Amino acid sequence: MNVCRRFTRLIQAVLSLSLFFTFFHAASAAHALPVVKPVYSCAEFGALKFSKGIDADVKILGATELNTAQGTFCKISATLGPDIGVEVALPQSRWTQRLLQVGCGGLCGDINLSLSNASGCVPAMNGEFAVAATNMGHAGSMMDASWAEDPQKRIDFAYRANHVTAQLTKALIKAYYGQQQKFAYFMGCSDGGREALAEAQRYPHDFNGISAGAPAAWFSMQNAFFHGWNVIANLRADGTPILLQNRLALIHQAAMAHCPSLSGSEDDVLQNPYACTFSRSWIKPCTSGQKDRSHCLTTEELDVVEKLYHGARGQNGEQYAPGGLPIGSELRWPVPATPAGHSMSEMMALPALQYVLLPGGKQKLTKVADFAFTRQNFARVAELAPLYNATNTNLAPFKAAGGKLIVWHGLADDSISPAGTIAYFKGVQAFMGAEKVDSFMRLFLLPGVAHCGNGEGPDQIDLLTALINWTEQGVAPDKLIAGKTENAASPPGIPPAQGIAEPKPASEDASVQFHGVQKPSQPVAGPASKVVYTRPVFPYPYVAEYNGKGDASDAASYHAVVSQDDEKLDLHKPISDMLGPDNQLTYKVNNGQLTVQQ
C-alpha cells in the first residue's frame, strides 16, 4: 500500500458552465514509519560540536525554534568552510525518520527550506521531514555571478556544497534523534535539477531517492549558448531587437492552430511539441508598407522565430545547444518588451559569461553580442563543462546503491529546453540499456508546463509521493497525476498583437521571470490546491490520449500511447561531445587557481 495515496477527485459544483473539482492526497498508515523524538532540547543541541565525517570545517551559528502550523522545528544555522551557508530544520515532535534536502534556482545565493511538488503528500504536509538547504557557497541574488571570481566558490557551487550539506545534515540527525534517518531524499528544479543529477552522478550514496526537475544539466552551454542565442538571434546589425513581446501571442496562436495536441481532447496543450515542425506558412507575412501588422509578421521577425525554434547554431551549422525554444512556449519567450528593453535571456547570459562559465577571472564582455558563436568560444566554455555540467550518463553506481531517480520537465519551458533533458535520458539509456534504466530512472514530460511550473498545462503534481513509494516500497511510478489549479485556469494576460507592450517593473527581473516569486522558507508542504481538471503524465516516450468517452476533465479518461517523433532532437557536434559516461572531473584550488584534482 502506498505511503501517500491519492483520494479520488470530488466533483461538487458547476460554476459558469465550467467543471471544478478538487483532488487530495492522503498517507497510508500501513507502512508509515514511527515517530522518533529528539534526545536534546534545541538549545542544548545548538551547543554541540560537529566535525566527524564532514569534509568541511563546521561552524554552528545558532539553534532556534521555528514555529509552524505543523509543529515546531529546531532550526540549525551553520557555515561549512569556507562560506557554504546551511540551514537544517529538525521536527521536534513529528519526525518519521526521513531527510529531505532541497535544491535552489538560478545561481543560488540564498537559503530556502520550502518544499515544491509535494502538495498532497501527507508526511510533507504534516512536517515530518528533516529538511536541509544550502546557498551553494555564496550569498547574493539568484542572478549575481560576481562570486565566481573566487575559484573555491566555483567548486562549491558546481557540486561540493550539496554533498557536505548532506554530510552535516546526517550528522545532525544522528545526534539530535539518537539514530540515523531511514531514507534520504533530494528534490530540486532548474539549477536544483542540475544539483539533483550531480548528486546521483558524483555522490551515489548521499540520497536514496532523487527528483530532478527541468535540470540545467548542460549548465555551461545552457547559460552561454541557449540564452545567448535567444539574444543575438534577435538583434539587427545596429544592436536593436527585432522580435518584441507584443508579437508573441500571434506566434503562439499560429502554433496551436497548426500542431495537433495528440491528446484527443480540445485543451490547447501539446502532448509532444517535437511531433510538430514550425513552418513560415503558418503566419501571414507583412507586405511592404503595411500599417496594420496585428495579423502578420515581417520577414525579419519570421527569421527570428525560425532561429529561436531551431536553437543555437554556428555559421557552418554547428550545434551549440541541445535544443531551442519548444513549440508551445511562445507566450513566455525571453525577448524584450520594448525596443530599448532587455530580455530575460540577456540578464541570464551576460553575468554568467562575465564571471562563471569561462576559465580565469572576469571577462571583458559588456554585452552578449561581444561573445561570438564560434567553435573557438565553444571550446573555451567546454573547458569547465567537467566542473559544472551534469551530463554524465554513467549512473551505474547510483543504481548499484539502490537509488531511484525521477526526472521531469515542462514541455513549454522557456528557460531550459526540454530537448536537453530528453537527450540526457536517451544518453543514459544508450550507455546502460533501456531495461536497466527503467528499473531505477524514469522521465516524465509535462505538456504545456513552463519552467518548473505555471504555463497553460496542468502543473500541480506530487512528485514526492511517487519518489517515496518507489524508494521505500519498490512501486515504480507508471503514471503521475497532474492538476490544473483553479486560480491558474486561464493563461496570464496575453500581450496585444499590435503596439508596444508596457515594460515590466524593474523589480520583475530574470530570477522572478524564470523562477517565480520565491516561497517563504518553511520546511512543510502546502495542501493541494483546488483544480479544474486532471491529466495523467506517463513515462517517456508515452503520452496521454483521451479514451473517446468519459469525463474529459478526469485523468481516468485517458490511456498511454507511444509518441516518439523526436528524431530532430538527435545531437550533433560539438554539443554531442558534452554527453557521455564519466565526463566529470574533481577540482581543487592550487595557488589561487582552479585545477583538476589528480
Side-chain angles (χ1 to χ4, degrees):
M1 188 177 293
N2 293 348
V3 172
C4 296
R5 185 185 61 212
R6 297 179 177 87
F7 282 163
T8 57
R9 62 182 177 85
L10 304 175
I11 302 178
Q12 298 294 341
V14 176
L15 299 175
S16 302
L17 302 180
S18 296
L19 182 64
F20 295 86
F21 59 88
T22 304
F23 67 99
F24 296 94
H25 308 273
S28 168
H31 292 284
L33 299 175
V35 171
V36 175
K37 299 294 182 66
V39 297
Y40 288 98
S41 70
C42 190
E44 291 172 331
F45 190 61
L48 299 183
K49 306 294 183 182
F50 295 89
S51 60
K52 186 177 180 181
I54 304 168
D55 299 328
D57 293 331
V58 181
K59 183 178 181 180
I60 302 296
L61 302 178
T64 58
E65 287 196 349
L66 173 64
N67 295 314
T68 74
Q70 291 74 31
T72 59
F73 290 73
C74 180
K75 187 174 78 171
I76 302 296
S77 299
T79 298
L80 296 173
D83 294 307
I84 300 171
V86 175
E87 289 182 2
V88 181
L90 304 165
Q92 292 189 308
S93 61
R94 296 187 178 185
W95 187 57
T96 52
Q97 307 178 65
R98 297 183 180 96
L99 177 165
L100 175 61
Q101 191 166 317
V102 294
C104 55
L107 297 178
C108 299
D110 190 24
I111 304 174
N112 194 310
L113 294 166
S114 62
L115 280 56
S116 298
N117 306 115
S119 295
C121 182
V122 169
M125 293 191 300
N126 280 350
E128 298 177 19
F129 281 86
V131 181
T134 173
N135 64 6
M136 298 294 283
H138 60 273
S141 73
M142 292 201 305
M143 295 298 105
D144 173 37
S146 59
W147 52 266
E149 292 190 270
D150 181 340
Q152 182 59 51
K153 293 186 186 300
R154 293 190 180 212
I155 297 171
D156 294 344
F157 171 78
Y159 59 83
R160 179 174 173 264
N162 274 313
H163 175 56
V164 293
T165 296
Q167 291 178 323
L168 173 63
T169 304
K170 291 176 181 179
L172 291 173
I173 286 174
K174 186 173 183 180
Y176 191 56
Y177 299 106
Q179 69 166 66
Q180 295 178 332
Q181 74 288 334
K182 286 191 178 297
F183 299 99
Y185 297 95
F186 189 100
M187 295 185 72
C189 192
S190 193
D191 192 74
R194 178 193 68 87
E195 298 160 30
L197 291 181
E199 275 292 321
Q201 295 159 4
R202 289 180 178 270
Y203 304 106
H205 297 281
D206 276 359
F207 298 99
N208 307 108
I210 293 175
S211 169
W218 309 72
F219 180 86
S220 296
M221 289 64 200
Q222 158 74 22
N223 285 344
F225 292 96
F226 176 83
H227 282 298
W229 179 258
N230 292 341
V231 178
I232 68 166
N234 191 29
L235 294 180
R236 297 184 178 92
D238 64 3
T240 59
I242 299 167
L243 189 68
L244 300 178
Q245 290 177 13
N246 65 316
R247 311 296 277 155
L248 300 182
L250 176 61
I251 305 167
H252 181 70
Q253 291 161 1
M256 293 300 100
H258 289 86
C259 292
S261 72
L262 302 180
S263 66
S265 63
E266 297 181 3
D267 51 15
D268 288 330
V269 172
L270 304 182
Q271 292 289 311
N272 182 3
Y274 300 110
C276 190
T277 302
F278 172 73
S279 171
R280 296 172 75 107
S281 65
W282 292 357
I283 303 174
K284 182 180 178 180
C286 300
T287 60
S288 178
Q290 183 173 343
K291 292 183 178 181
D292 181 3
R293 297 183 176 182
S294 58
H295 300 288
C296 67
L297 291 182
T298 65
T299 298
E300 63 175 358
E301 286 175 330
L302 284 168
D303 289 343
V304 172
V305 171
E306 280 192 320
K307 290 176 181 178
L308 295 184
Y309 280 135
H310 201 46
R313 293 293 193 276
Q315 289 186 341
N316 297 316
E318 305 95 333
Q319 188 180 5
Y320 292 141
L325 291 163
I327 293 178
S329 66
E330 299 82 10
L331 293 178
R332 291 166 299 279
W333 276 7
V335 298
T338 67
H342 299 276
S343 71
M344 298 303 108
S345 278
E346 181 183 6
M347 297 180 192
M348 184 76 73
L350 184 57
L353 286 168
Q354 288 174 326
Y355 291 100
V356 182
L357 302 178
L358 297 165
K362 183 180 179 181
Q363 305 296 307
K364 295 180 180 179
L365 298 170
T366 60
K367 56 184 183 297
V368 175
D370 292 339
F371 181 79
F373 275 43
T374 63
R375 280 269 194 165
Q376 181 181 9
N377 274 341
F378 187 91
R380 291 177 65 206
V381 173
E383 286 186 46
L384 292 183
L387 169 69
Y388 294 121
N389 285 9
T391 55
N392 177 1
T393 57
N394 182 10
L395 292 177
F398 183 70
K399 178 183 182 300
K404 298 295 185 287
L405 174 60
I406 293 176
V407 183
W408 65 277
H409 208 132
L411 281 171
D413 194 327
D414 54 303
S415 179
I416 298 175
S417 175
T421 300
I422 296 171
Y424 175 69
F425 181 74
K426 292 169 70 174
V428 177
Q429 287 182 318
F431 179 72
M432 298 185 63
E435 187 174 346
K436 286 184 178 180
V437 171
D438 192 59
S439 69
F440 77 95
M441 176 186 185
R442 295 196 177 179
L443 170 62
F444 292 88
L445 300 173
L446 278 59
V449 173
H451 187 55
C452 294
N454 299 314
E456 293 69 56
D459 66 334
Q460 181 169 268
I461 191 163
D462 177 11
L463 289 158
L464 187 53
T465 291
L467 193 59
I468 290 173
N469 292 338
W470 198 6
T471 302
E472 300 181 16
Q473 300 176 50
V475 180
D478 58 359
K479 66 179 176 182
L480 302 173
I481 304 299
K484 186 65 176 176
T485 57
E486 186 177 35
N487 58 7
S490 299
I494 298 175
Q498 182 78 355
I500 300 298
E502 290 296 320
K504 298 179 184 299
S507 60
E508 200 170 354
D509 62 6
S511 63
V512 175
Q513 287 294 294
F514 283 142
H515 304 284
V517 177
Q518 291 297 288
K519 296 179 180 179
S521 182
Q522 288 284 310
V524 294
S529 299
K530 190 174 183 179
V531 300
V532 294
Y533 71 85
T534 56
R535 290 286 186 275
V537 183
F538 298 103
Y540 177 84
Y542 293 92
V543 300
E545 183 179 78
Y546 180 51
N547 294 336
K549 60 182 179 179
D551 185 355
S553 63
D554 186 354
S557 299
Y558 295 78
H559 62 279
V561 295
V562 175
S563 178
Q564 204 169 12
D565 301 319
D566 52 15
E567 292 81 3
K568 70 185 74 173
L569 298 181
D570 290 344
L571 299 181
H572 303 284
K573 286 185 177 296
I575 190 64
S576 59
D577 295 333
M578 299 296 102
L579 179 69
D582 306 313
N583 59 4
Q584 294 160 318
L585 297 173
T586 303
Y587 291 77
K588 65 180 180 179
V589 178
N590 187 14
N591 295 324
Q593 300 296 316
L594 188 67
T595 59
V596 175
Q597 184 171 314
Q598 301 299 328

